[in-house]
Amino acid sequence: MTITQRVLGSRVLAALASPHGVDRYLEQMNPMWAATEVRARVVSVTRETTGEHPVATLVLQPTSTWRGHRSGQYVQVGVDLEGGRRTTRCFSISSGASLPGERFSITVRAHEEGIVSKYLVREAQPGLILHLSQAEGEFTLHESAATPTNNHLLMISGGSGITPVMSHVRTLLRDGYDGHANRKVTFLHYARSPEDQIFAEELAEIAAADNGVTVHLRYGNHFFDADELERIVGDFRDLDTWVCGPGGLVELVQEAYADSPRLRVEFFKPPAFAVDGDAEGTVAFARSGEAAANTGESILEQAEAAGLKPEYGCRMGICFSCTSRKTEGTVRNILTGETSSLPDEDIRICVSAPVGSCSVDL
Amino acid sequence: MTTLPFARPRKNTVRASDPKIPNLTPEQLEEFGAEMDAIRQRVIADLGQADADYIRGVVKKQQQFEVAGRAMFYFPPAWPLAVAALSVSKILENMEIGHNVMHGQYDWLGDPKLNSRIYDWDNVCPGEQWKYSHNYIHHTFTNILGKDRDIGYGVLRMDEDQKWHPYYLGNPVYALLLMTFFEWGVAMHDLEVENIVKGTRKMEENKQLHAGIMKKVKRQALKDYLIFPALTGPFFPLTFAGNAAANLVRNVWAFNIIFCGHFPAGVATFTEEECEDESRGHWYYRQLLGSANISGGKLFHTMSGNLSHQIEHHLFPDIPARRYPELAVEVKEICNRYGIEYNTGRLSKQLFSVARKIVRLSFPTPKPKTAAPADVEVAAAA
Ligand code: FES
């Protein structure tokens, strides 16, 4: 930490700059100046695929407050969208591990319902400022070039789930982990089609080079199959494995690994759209571990019926005392009838009723 | 103002049961509520870039005033200017930014710096406590006697139904003191000292609140009365006095705007029974009868955090305040149709009305002698 950073982040300065905080002043002067917040400027946007849901890699120059990342971690990216709403989503970092203040990249697929991903792929231009978190997540590597082991590492990914796994492979290769002396890396990836394949060129290069990394690409309806994996790597349950991809793939792999502690999993959470009627499904209260059949009443009422005591005030949507985080599912605003399916959204539970199943952090 | 089929009696305080206030039938109330809900829904759907730009613009302006004010303390001849700039900054921050942001009006922006859960204003009252007593208690139980502690703030007699006691002879003095030390009054509000005196609240219940207040007070005092003055070196006393003056100006301004929002003549109070199992329509109706507006220009509205549109604020507390002037047009029209008076007036008129109430209620309220108490009051006030 430099002296400037230490001064900028000090409590005294924070007190003087209250209530807005030092960052709000710095940001007014230059969006790349920050005391504690992390922001980033988009340096370049490169299309990776041209398919129906195109993918782009964005190279980001973070503010000096960025503490760096370990491969496999993700970052929350907040975008100021048209209409004034800042919307935040998590994206895995696709470049190798970074040091404080160093550039890194995220690779994003434009999903139909993903407003942020669509914006980043289609609209983002160099110069755009993004609001970031520090790197988060435990889907990390414990291997390093400095203290190599002779473990055989296995990476399994599907679709855009390739990003954190790619970060692992890139980090290993960059740091001189060459896979020789029995230190092999096997990379198994499932993509919709060759046109949809992210990092196709780089993967071909990695596969061709003499580096101990073998790459297996599977396309189309070729689903994960434990027997096939066994043929490729032998007894996979004893291999340190990282799997990342859509729920279907992850579930199959988890099944195959039974309870093997060697498996590390990263999920992608797509917005879950309600298909069933209002009063169907289950309401899960994630923090307390309770769950109950959805009665169609407000989440506050359902939580209370389940024996929980969430904070509340007016019970009519005006005081915000009851604001809680909905992690999954669709809710309908009882007052306006509006529905919303965004994951990780703050809602007023006294005026929100679940439409189908949903999960709330209560 | 347009002439209305029902004129409100000019007495100190009006009860919602007063025969001169239109008593809507349950069906009417439902319709009335639906009309309000429709307005609300339309505005919420329309929130967007303009609202985002507006609040960020206000924050920027406020920061500029603050920086200018703090900087001018280094140049003593500019002291009055410095105080003026800092006062403007503090008023904007407390009213248009703090109050409104902490209401959750801008939560939809997704900007953590303008989020009601995170923002804590430049005021000795901790945001967390204020949100409870204001957003929840005051906005939910507005003008219900015995439930809305903002009626007189536990210090003043602001309604005839508050029993008179010789203590209230000091009503005008207390009001002046509350005005001068308004932010402290707001901070102490949650401690419900009056209930402790009465014995209905225990000291222990205040422990946590007390700790929260002390923490915030320290932070505020450190900033305004120690570090900033110290940073100006030899001008310490001047800067100290300047900061105190700016806080005072903000106190006086905020007190006056807020008192004009709920206490001018004609604003009605309700009993708990009247609000039992209240419908949404009745809640709107109560908000409308329990608030008053102050008319004025654009700058005036901004400087009051648009709380000069107290009526619209109470109907739609979580809608960005900059929308209130536009909403007022529709609300007025609806009031006209239902024959409900829309209480508004110039600042001087509303202030005078409030002051008169404060003075008159310092004396015991004479018992009505005839069967038509309202008329007696009209005569007395005329
Ligand atoms: S309890 Fe007041 S907004 Fe939900």
Side-chain angles (χ1 to χ4, degrees), chain B residues 246-259:
Chain B
N247 277 324
L248 174 69
V249 171
R250 185 268 327 273
N251 284 351
V252 171
W253 179 254
F255 171 93
N256 282 305
I257 295 296
I258 287 157
F259 269 60

mmCIF file with all atom_site columns, all heavy atoms in Angstrom, chain B residues 246-259:
data_model
loop_
_atom_site.group_PDB
_atom_site.id
_atom_site.type_symbol
_atom_site.label_atom_id
_atom_site.label_alt_id
_atom_site.label_comp_id
_atom_site.label_asym_id
_atom_site.label_entity_id
_atom_site.label_seq_id
_atom_site.pdbx_PDB_ins_code
_atom_site.Cartn_x
_atom_site.Cartn_y
_atom_site.Cartn_z
_atom_site.occupancy
_atom_site.B_iso_or_equiv
_atom_site.pdbx_formal_charge
_atom_site.auth_seq_id
_atom_site.auth_comp_id
_atom_site.auth_asym_id
_atom_site.auth_atom_id
_atom_site.pdbx_PDB_model_num
ATOM 1   N N   . ALA B 1 246 ? -23.342 27.308 10.717 1.00 0.00 ? 246 ALA B N   1
ATOM 2   C CA  . ALA B 1 246 ? -23.955 26.592 9.589  1.00 0.00 ? 246 ALA B CA  1
ATOM 3   C C   . ALA B 1 246 ? -24.913 25.516 10.099 1.00 0.00 ? 246 ALA B C   1
ATOM 4   O O   . ALA B 1 246 ? -26.003 25.334 9.555  1.00 0.00 ? 246 ALA B O   1
ATOM 5   C CB  . ALA B 1 246 ? -22.882 25.971 8.707  1.00 0.00 ? 246 ALA B CB  1
ATOM 6   N N   . ASN B 1 247 ? -24.512 24.820 11.161 1.00 0.00 ? 247 ASN B N   1
ATOM 7   C CA  . ASN B 1 247 ? -25.408 23.806 11.727 1.00 0.00 ? 247 ASN B CA  1
ATOM 8   C C   . ASN B 1 247 ? -26.681 24.447 12.270 1.00 0.00 ? 247 ASN B C   1
ATOM 9   O O   . ASN B 1 247 ? -27.768 23.893 12.146 1.00 0.00 ? 247 ASN B O   1
ATOM 10  C CB  . ASN B 1 247 ? -24.699 23.029 12.841 1.00 0.00 ? 247 ASN B CB  1
ATOM 11  C CG  . ASN B 1 247 ? -23.833 21.904 12.276 1.00 0.00 ? 247 ASN B CG  1
ATOM 12  O OD1 . ASN B 1 247 ? -24.186 21.273 11.282 1.00 0.00 ? 247 ASN B OD1 1
ATOM 13  N ND2 . ASN B 1 247 ? -22.689 21.671 12.890 1.00 0.00 ? 247 ASN B ND2 1
ATOM 14  N N   . LEU B 1 248 ? -26.519 25.640 12.846 1.00 0.00 ? 248 LEU B N   1
ATOM 15  C CA  . LEU B 1 248 ? -27.675 26.350 13.391 1.00 0.00 ? 248 LEU B CA  1
ATOM 16  C C   . LEU B 1 248 ? -28.631 26.751 12.267 1.00 0.00 ? 248 LEU B C   1
ATOM 17  O O   . LEU B 1 248 ? -29.842 26.543 12.364 1.00 0.00 ? 248 LEU B O   1
ATOM 18  C CB  . LEU B 1 248 ? -27.205 27.580 14.166 1.00 0.00 ? 248 LEU B CB  1
ATOM 19  C CG  . LEU B 1 248 ? -28.328 28.489 14.675 1.00 0.00 ? 248 LEU B CG  1
ATOM 20  C CD1 . LEU B 1 248 ? -29.111 27.799 15.779 1.00 0.00 ? 248 LEU B CD1 1
ATOM 21  C CD2 . LEU B 1 248 ? -27.779 29.824 15.170 1.00 0.00 ? 248 LEU B CD2 1
ATOM 22  N N   . VAL B 1 249 ? -28.069 27.305 11.206 1.00 0.00 ? 249 VAL B N   1
ATOM 23  C CA  . VAL B 1 249 ? -28.914 27.721 10.082 1.00 0.00 ? 249 VAL B CA  1
ATOM 24  C C   . VAL B 1 249 ? -29.708 26.523 9.569  1.00 0.00 ? 249 VAL B C   1
ATOM 25  O O   . VAL B 1 249 ? -30.912 26.590 9.339  1.00 0.00 ? 249 VAL B O   1
ATOM 26  C CB  . VAL B 1 249 ? -28.055 28.319 8.942  1.00 0.00 ? 249 VAL B CB  1
ATOM 27  C CG1 . VAL B 1 249 ? -28.898 28.547 7.697  1.00 0.00 ? 249 VAL B CG1 1
ATOM 28  C CG2 . VAL B 1 249 ? -27.398 29.615 9.400  1.00 0.00 ? 249 VAL B CG2 1
ATOM 29  N N   . ARG B 1 250 ? -29.007 25.427 9.397  1.00 0.00 ? 250 ARG B N   1
ATOM 30  C CA  . ARG B 1 250 ? -29.679 24.220 8.910  1.00 0.00 ? 250 ARG B CA  1
ATOM 31  C C   . ARG B 1 250 ? -30.782 23.779 9.889  1.00 0.00 ? 250 ARG B C   1
ATOM 32  O O   . ARG B 1 250 ? -31.880 23.416 9.472  1.00 0.00 ? 250 ARG B O   1
ATOM 33  C CB  . ARG B 1 250 ? -28.647 23.105 8.720  1.00 0.00 ? 250 ARG B CB  1
ATOM 34  C CG  . ARG B 1 250 ? -29.150 21.807 8.111  1.00 0.00 ? 250 ARG B CG  1
ATOM 35  C CD  . ARG B 1 250 ? -29.599 20.789 9.134  1.00 0.00 ? 250 ARG B CD  1
ATOM 36  N NE  . ARG B 1 250 ? -28.852 20.828 10.367 1.00 0.00 ? 250 ARG B NE  1
ATOM 37  C CZ  . ARG B 1 250 ? -27.726 20.182 10.581 1.00 0.00 ? 250 ARG B CZ  1
ATOM 38  N NH1 . ARG B 1 250 ? -27.222 19.421 9.647  1.00 0.00 ? 250 ARG B NH1 1
ATOM 39  N NH2 . ARG B 1 250 ? -27.107 20.282 11.738 1.00 0.00 ? 250 ARG B NH2 1
ATOM 40  N N   . ASN B 1 251 ? -30.502 23.842 11.184 1.00 0.00 ? 251 ASN B N   1
ATOM 41  C CA  . ASN B 1 251 ? -31.501 23.462 12.191 1.00 0.00 ? 251 ASN B CA  1
ATOM 42  C C   . ASN B 1 251 ? -32.762 24.300 12.063 1.00 0.00 ? 251 ASN B C   1
ATOM 43  O O   . ASN B 1 251 ? -33.875 23.781 12.048 1.00 0.00 ? 251 ASN B O   1
ATOM 44  C CB  . ASN B 1 251 ? -30.949 23.651 13.607 1.00 0.00 ? 251 ASN B CB  1
ATOM 45  C CG  . ASN B 1 251 ? -29.985 22.546 13.994 1.00 0.00 ? 251 ASN B CG  1
ATOM 46  O OD1 . ASN B 1 251 ? -29.854 21.556 13.282 1.00 0.00 ? 251 ASN B OD1 1
ATOM 47  N ND2 . ASN B 1 251 ? -29.302 22.720 15.113 1.00 0.00 ? 251 ASN B ND2 1
ATOM 48  N N   . VAL B 1 252 ? -32.566 25.610 11.985 1.00 0.00 ? 252 VAL B N   1
ATOM 49  C CA  . VAL B 1 252 ? -33.708 26.517 11.948 1.00 0.00 ? 252 VAL B CA  1
ATOM 50  C C   . VAL B 1 252 ? -34.539 26.251 10.692 1.00 0.00 ? 252 VAL B C   1
ATOM 51  O O   . VAL B 1 252 ? -35.761 26.135 10.731 1.00 0.00 ? 252 VAL B O   1
ATOM 52  C CB  . VAL B 1 252 ? -33.222 27.984 11.990 1.00 0.00 ? 252 VAL B CB  1
ATOM 53  C CG1 . VAL B 1 252 ? -34.371 28.943 11.725 1.00 0.00 ? 252 VAL B CG1 1
ATOM 54  C CG2 . VAL B 1 252 ? -32.564 28.276 13.339 1.00 0.00 ? 252 VAL B CG2 1
ATOM 55  N N   . TRP B 1 253 ? -33.836 26.129 9.581  1.00 0.00 ? 253 TRP B N   1
ATOM 56  C CA  . TRP B 1 253 ? -34.526 25.897 8.306  1.00 0.00 ? 253 TRP B CA  1
ATOM 57  C C   . TRP B 1 253 ? -35.310 24.582 8.335  1.00 0.00 ? 253 TRP B C   1
ATOM 58  O O   . TRP B 1 253 ? -36.493 24.542 8.008  1.00 0.00 ? 253 TRP B O   1
ATOM 59  C CB  . TRP B 1 253 ? -33.501 25.902 7.181  1.00 0.00 ? 253 TRP B CB  1
ATOM 60  C CG  . TRP B 1 253 ? -34.080 25.649 5.824  1.00 0.00 ? 253 TRP B CG  1
ATOM 61  C CD1 . TRP B 1 253 ? -33.976 24.521 5.090  1.00 0.00 ? 253 TRP B CD1 1
ATOM 62  C CD2 . TRP B 1 253 ? -34.864 26.566 5.040  1.00 0.00 ? 253 TRP B CD2 1
ATOM 63  N NE1 . TRP B 1 253 ? -34.635 24.654 3.898  1.00 0.00 ? 253 TRP B NE1 1
ATOM 64  C CE2 . TRP B 1 253 ? -35.198 25.906 3.837  1.00 0.00 ? 253 TRP B CE2 1
ATOM 65  C CE3 . TRP B 1 253 ? -35.323 27.873 5.234  1.00 0.00 ? 253 TRP B CE3 1
ATOM 66  C CZ2 . TRP B 1 253 ? -35.946 26.496 2.838  1.00 0.00 ? 253 TRP B CZ2 1
ATOM 67  C CZ3 . TRP B 1 253 ? -36.086 28.461 4.231  1.00 0.00 ? 253 TRP B CZ3 1
ATOM 68  C CH2 . TRP B 1 253 ? -36.382 27.781 3.065  1.00 0.00 ? 253 TRP B CH2 1
ATOM 69  N N   . ALA B 1 254 ? -34.657 23.532 8.738  1.00 0.00 ? 254 ALA B N   1
ATOM 70  C CA  . ALA B 1 254 ? -35.298 22.213 8.719  1.00 0.00 ? 254 ALA B CA  1
ATOM 71  C C   . ALA B 1 254 ? -36.512 22.210 9.644  1.00 0.00 ? 254 ALA B C   1
ATOM 72  O O   . ALA B 1 254 ? -37.588 21.731 9.289  1.00 0.00 ? 254 ALA B O   1
ATOM 73  C CB  . ALA B 1 254 ? -34.308 21.136 9.135  1.00 0.00 ? 254 ALA B CB  1
ATOM 74  N N   . PHE B 1 255 ? -36.355 22.773 10.837 1.00 0.00 ? 255 PHE B N   1
ATOM 75  C CA  . PHE B 1 255 ? -37.452 22.825 11.805 1.00 0.00 ? 255 PHE B CA  1
ATOM 76  C C   . PHE B 1 255 ? -38.672 23.506 11.186 1.00 0.00 ? 255 PHE B C   1
ATOM 77  O O   . PHE B 1 255 ? -39.788 23.013 11.262 1.00 0.00 ? 255 PHE B O   1
ATOM 78  C CB  . PHE B 1 255 ? -36.991 23.576 13.054 1.00 0.00 ? 255 PHE B CB  1
ATOM 79  C CG  . PHE B 1 255 ? -38.080 23.875 14.039 1.00 0.00 ? 255 PHE B CG  1
ATOM 80  C CD1 . PHE B 1 255 ? -38.340 23.010 15.093 1.00 0.00 ? 255 PHE B CD1 1
ATOM 81  C CD2 . PHE B 1 255 ? -38.836 25.034 13.931 1.00 0.00 ? 255 PHE B CD2 1
ATOM 82  C CE1 . PHE B 1 255 ? -39.341 23.287 16.009 1.00 0.00 ? 255 PHE B CE1 1
ATOM 83  C CE2 . PHE B 1 255 ? -39.844 25.319 14.845 1.00 0.00 ? 255 PHE B CE2 1
ATOM 84  C CZ  . PHE B 1 255 ? -40.098 24.446 15.884 1.00 0.00 ? 255 PHE B CZ  1
ATOM 85  N N   . ASN B 1 256 ? -38.420 24.648 10.554 1.00 0.00 ? 256 ASN B N   1
ATOM 86  C CA  . ASN B 1 256 ? -39.541 25.414 10.020 1.00 0.00 ? 256 ASN B CA  1
ATOM 87  C C   . ASN B 1 256 ? -40.248 24.686 8.889  1.00 0.00 ? 256 ASN B C   1
ATOM 88  O O   . ASN B 1 256 ? -41.472 24.651 8.815  1.00 0.00 ? 256 ASN B O   1
ATOM 89  C CB  . ASN B 1 256 ? -39.068 26.800 9.571  1.00 0.00 ? 256 ASN B CB  1
ATOM 90  C CG  . ASN B 1 256 ? -38.893 27.715 10.769 1.00 0.00 ? 256 ASN B CG  1
ATOM 91  O OD1 . ASN B 1 256 ? -39.809 27.905 11.552 1.00 0.00 ? 256 ASN B OD1 1
ATOM 92  N ND2 . ASN B 1 256 ? -37.691 28.234 10.947 1.00 0.00 ? 256 ASN B ND2 1
ATOM 93  N N   . ILE B 1 257 ? -39.460 24.098 7.999  1.00 0.00 ? 257 ILE B N   1
ATOM 94  C CA  . ILE B 1 257 ? -40.079 23.364 6.886  1.00 0.00 ? 257 ILE B CA  1
ATOM 95  C C   . ILE B 1 257 ? -40.912 22.205 7.428  1.00 0.00 ? 257 ILE B C   1
ATOM 96  O O   . ILE B 1 257 ? -42.042 21.965 6.996  1.00 0.00 ? 257 ILE B O   1
ATOM 97  C CB  . ILE B 1 257 ? -38.993 22.821 5.924  1.00 0.00 ? 257 ILE B CB  1
ATOM 98  C CG1 . ILE B 1 257 ? -38.245 23.962 5.260  1.00 0.00 ? 257 ILE B CG1 1
ATOM 99  C CG2 . ILE B 1 257 ? -39.618 21.885 4.883  1.00 0.00 ? 257 ILE B CG2 1
ATOM 100 C CD1 . ILE B 1 257 ? -39.076 24.838 4.367  1.00 0.00 ? 257 ILE B CD1 1
ATOM 101 N N   . ILE B 1 258 ? -40.357 21.506 8.393  1.00 0.00 ? 258 ILE B N   1
ATOM 102 C CA  . ILE B 1 258 ? -41.048 20.325 8.889  1.00 0.00 ? 258 ILE B CA  1
ATOM 103 C C   . ILE B 1 258 ? -42.292 20.692 9.683  1.00 0.00 ? 258 ILE B C   1
ATOM 104 O O   . ILE B 1 258 ? -43.343 20.078 9.533  1.00 0.00 ? 258 ILE B O   1
ATOM 105 C CB  . ILE B 1 258 ? -40.070 19.455 9.700  1.00 0.00 ? 258 ILE B CB  1
ATOM 106 C CG1 . ILE B 1 258 ? -39.118 18.790 8.703  1.00 0.00 ? 258 ILE B CG1 1
ATOM 107 C CG2 . ILE B 1 258 ? -40.796 18.423 10.526 1.00 0.00 ? 258 ILE B CG2 1
ATOM 108 C CD1 . ILE B 1 258 ? -37.826 18.357 9.283  1.00 0.00 ? 258 ILE B CD1 1
ATOM 109 N N   . PHE B 1 259 ? -42.193 21.739 10.496 1.00 0.00 ? 259 PHE B N   1
ATOM 110 C CA  . PHE B 1 259 ? -43.372 22.126 11.262 1.00 0.00 ? 259 PHE B CA  1
ATOM 111 C C   . PHE B 1 259 ? -44.477 22.643 10.346 1.00 0.00 ? 259 PHE B C   1
ATOM 112 O O   . PHE B 1 259 ? -45.655 22.459 10.629 1.00 0.00 ? 259 PHE B O   1
ATOM 113 C CB  . PHE B 1 259 ? -43.003 23.140 12.357 1.00 0.00 ? 259 PHE B CB  1
ATOM 114 C CG  . PHE B 1 259 ? -42.670 22.444 13.652 1.00 0.00 ? 259 PHE B CG  1
ATOM 115 C CD1 . PHE B 1 259 ? -41.620 21.539 13.708 1.00 0.00 ? 259 PHE B CD1 1
ATOM 116 C CD2 . PHE B 1 259 ? -43.425 22.657 14.792 1.00 0.00 ? 259 PHE B CD2 1
ATOM 117 C CE1 . PHE B 1 259 ? -41.328 20.860 14.891 1.00 0.00 ? 259 PHE B CE1 1
ATOM 118 C CE2 . PHE B 1 259 ? -43.142 21.986 15.984 1.00 0.00 ? 259 PHE B CE2 1
ATOM 119 C CZ  . PHE B 1 259 ? -42.096 21.090 16.033 1.00 0.00 ? 259 PHE B CZ  1
#
